[in-house]
Amino acid sequence: LRRAFDLLKQRLASEGLFDAARKRLLPVLPRCIGVVTSPHGAALRDVLSVLRRRAPAIPVLIYPVAVQGAGAAQEIAAAVRLAGSRGECDVLIVARGGGSLEDLWAFNEEVVARAIHACAIPVVTGVGHETDFTIADFVADQRAPTPSVAAEMVSPDCNAWRRRLSQLESRLTGVMAAKLTHGKRTLHWLTTRIQHPAQRLARQAQRVDELELRLQRAQQSLLRHMQRMRRLRRSICICPRSVCASATC
């Protein structure tokens, strides 16, 4: 089995199935998480426990398969292909608890590796324990040392998100309060400079009255001045009476 593992790993690596350039990033906030595993194993309980604690609002879709024994590899590959074709999940966990090399061999089959490689959504493997490596781990977009860690990798921490939202809310409240204070000051400044049209009209009407009064006073002063000048001219006139009576001095 070890020789078969090394040969398949070498052949798939030469085909580019393990290339880091083709690895996809995991979604930050998945709408749905898919899990390919045994419905009766401890791995599923561990995954669901982590997801329930970290992201209880995200739905989980389980694709039940056999994870060891005859036909297990074909079931796992078929479930991965089904999840990719239906597109109901944003990320897929392929998980199994620990075991011997023989117990984990279904995840070393070529059919599983090619199904993960062709999957349309990101795949995270959490097979066995930290020291266990399978062919599926090398093909997957991300490899987790355990099923629980795989669940942590694909799920956002709701508590961290709450803290982040609380921080953003506080920042937003502070920014809005500062903007409102600035707006009030600007409004007060404009209020002192901008006057109501009625006040401007009243002031202009008063100005017109003042100008009219000044004009009347100026006219009266000019008439009095002209009258004084006429009297003055008559008083100093040396023309003959016959001339002054017929002409204006």
Side-chain angles (χ1 to χ4, degrees):
L1 291 178
R2 177 57 61 183
R3 285 195 300 271
F5 177 92
D6 293 336
L7 289 173
L8 180 60
K9 179 182 176 183
Q10 183 178 0
R11 180 160 58 86
L12 295 181
S14 64
E15 295 183 19
L17 269 69
F18 303 162
D19 290 349
R22 57 159 295 274
K23 307 277 186 186
R24 293 162 294 188
L25 297 176
L26 304 182
V28 177
L29 187 62
R31 295 169 299 174
C32 181
I33 299 173
V35 182
V36 177
T37 190
S38 169
H40 309 295
L44 179 59
R45 293 194 296 271
D46 294 341
V47 168
L48 294 180
S49 176
V50 172
L51 295 180
R52 189 180 302 111
R53 170 174 52 86
R54 288 176 58 88
I58 299 179
V60 180
L61 187 59
I62 301 172
Y63 297 87
V65 295
V67 292
Q68 72 180 73
Q74 287 71 23
E75 289 189 27
I76 296 170
V80 172
R81 288 193 294 268
L82 178 64
S85 63
R86 293 174 66 173
E88 296 173 321
C89 306
D90 293 331
V91 64
L92 188 65
I93 297 175
V94 178
R96 187 204 189 282
S100 63
L101 179 61
E102 291 81 2
D103 295 336
L104 304 180
W105 191 253
F107 299 91
N108 292 321
E109 295 283 359
E110 182 175 357
V111 63
V112 174
R114 296 198 179 276
I116 294 176
H117 179 264
C119 188
I121 59 177
V123 178
V124 177
T125 53
V127 179
H129 300 302
E130 295 186 9
T131 57
D132 296 323
F133 281 87
T134 65
I135 298 295
D137 293 326
F138 297 111
V139 183
D141 297 283
Q142 293 285 342
R143 183 256 175 185
T146 63
S148 298
V149 176
E152 292 181 355
M153 292 173 62
V154 303
S155 60
D157 186 355
C158 62
N159 294 324
W161 278 71
R162 289 193 186 99
R163 290 192 295 270
R164 178 58 176 165
L165 289 176
S166 178
Q167 294 172 357
L168 292 176
E169 182 181 9
S170 299
R171 289 178 56 187
L172 179 61
T173 302
V175 171
M176 292 301 298
K179 284 186 175 293
L180 287 174
T181 301
H182 177 71
K184 289 179 180 178
R185 291 176 180 173
T186 303
L187 180 61
H188 177 71
W189 180 76
L190 292 174
T191 303
T192 59
R193 293 178 59 88
I194 299 176
Q195 298 176 346
H196 194 276
Q199 295 178 350
R200 297 188 61 183
L201 289 175
R203 213 172 31 251
Q204 294 295 335
Q206 184 179 0
R207 177 63 175 167
V208 170
D209 292 340
E210 293 174 355
L211 292 175
E212 184 179 3
L213 181 60
R214 289 177 58 185
L215 178 61
Q216 292 176 357
R217 290 175 179 175
Q219 289 175 346
Q220 293 174 0
S221 177
L222 181 59
L223 288 174
R224 287 193 297 269
H225 177 71
M226 291 176 65
Q227 291 174 357
R228 285 196 300 269
M229 290 300 295
R230 286 179 181 177
R231 287 194 297 269
L232 181 61
R233 286 179 181 178
R234 289 177 182 176
S235 65
I236 63 175
C237 181
I238 58 176
C239 299
R241 176 68 61 181
S242 59
V243 177
C244 288
S246 59
T248 302
C249 290

